[in-house]
Amino acid sequence: MRLEAGEQQRLVRGVLAELAAVRPSLVLCLGATASRALLGADFRLTRHRGELVSGPLVPRAMATVHPSAVLRGPRERRSEMQSGLAADLRAIPGVRIQGGGGGNPGSGPLQIELTGDDSVILAATASNIERE
């Protein structure tokens, strides 16, 4: 789904405000729309998927396919697509992945666990938001 320019700009401003509050060491962009919004209009997910990159709005990022693309993709390629997504996520320091590939491609849902400083900051931020 493509967003209208005004809607995308509003969403980017909100994301940037959240990033300023959390200050993550890395931003994961899921899908082409998010990738282009944060990494620049010339960014091509097909060329830079799974690479550590920087952009005009985020100092350190990685882009990969949106999980819904795996579900919408051709049935005969889903296992391959899920394995590729899992491999991209495994490449991120401080992220543990279970399922979705490895020895058994397409072996069930991906379970993602954050570890390290970013997970502590994210948990504290979520706790503060819940109290407000």
Side-chain angles (χ1 to χ4, degrees):
M1 174 178 84
R2 298 244 178 209
L3 300 174
E4 292 182 21
E7 184 179 5
Q8 183 170 330
Q9 289 170 352
R10 283 189 301 279
L11 291 172
V12 168
R13 281 194 302 271
V15 168
L16 292 176
E18 290 178 24
L19 293 175
V22 176
R23 295 191 330 253
S25 60
L26 180 122
V27 174
L28 176 63
C29 300
L30 297 175
T33 300
S35 299
R36 286 189 188 131
L38 294 176
L39 299 172
D42 293 333
F43 183 85
R44 295 294 176 257
L45 183 58
T46 53
R47 285 190 211 134
H48 301 289
R49 176 183 171 187
E51 296 177 10
L52 290 176
V53 296
S54 63
L57 301 176
V58 291
R60 190 165 177 241
M62 179 185 283
T64 190
V65 297
H66 194 285
S68 67
V70 174
L71 298 175
R72 290 189 324 262
R75 184 174 297 280
E76 62 275 4
R77 289 201 54 229
R78 283 188 191 149
S79 179
E80 171 192 344
M81 293 173 71
Q82 185 173 354
S83 293
L85 173 61
D88 289 346
L89 297 176
R90 281 188 184 95
I92 301 170
V95 174
R96 288 189 206 139
I97 306 294
Q98 294 181 341
N104 301 311
S107 62
L110 293 175
Q111 296 179 350
I112 302 170
E113 177 186 348
L114 294 176
T115 62
D117 293 341
D118 284 347
S119 66
V120 173
I121 294 167
L122 188 59
T125 302
S127 178
N128 289 338
I129 290 170
E130 288 175 1
R131 280 188 246 145
E132 291 178 0

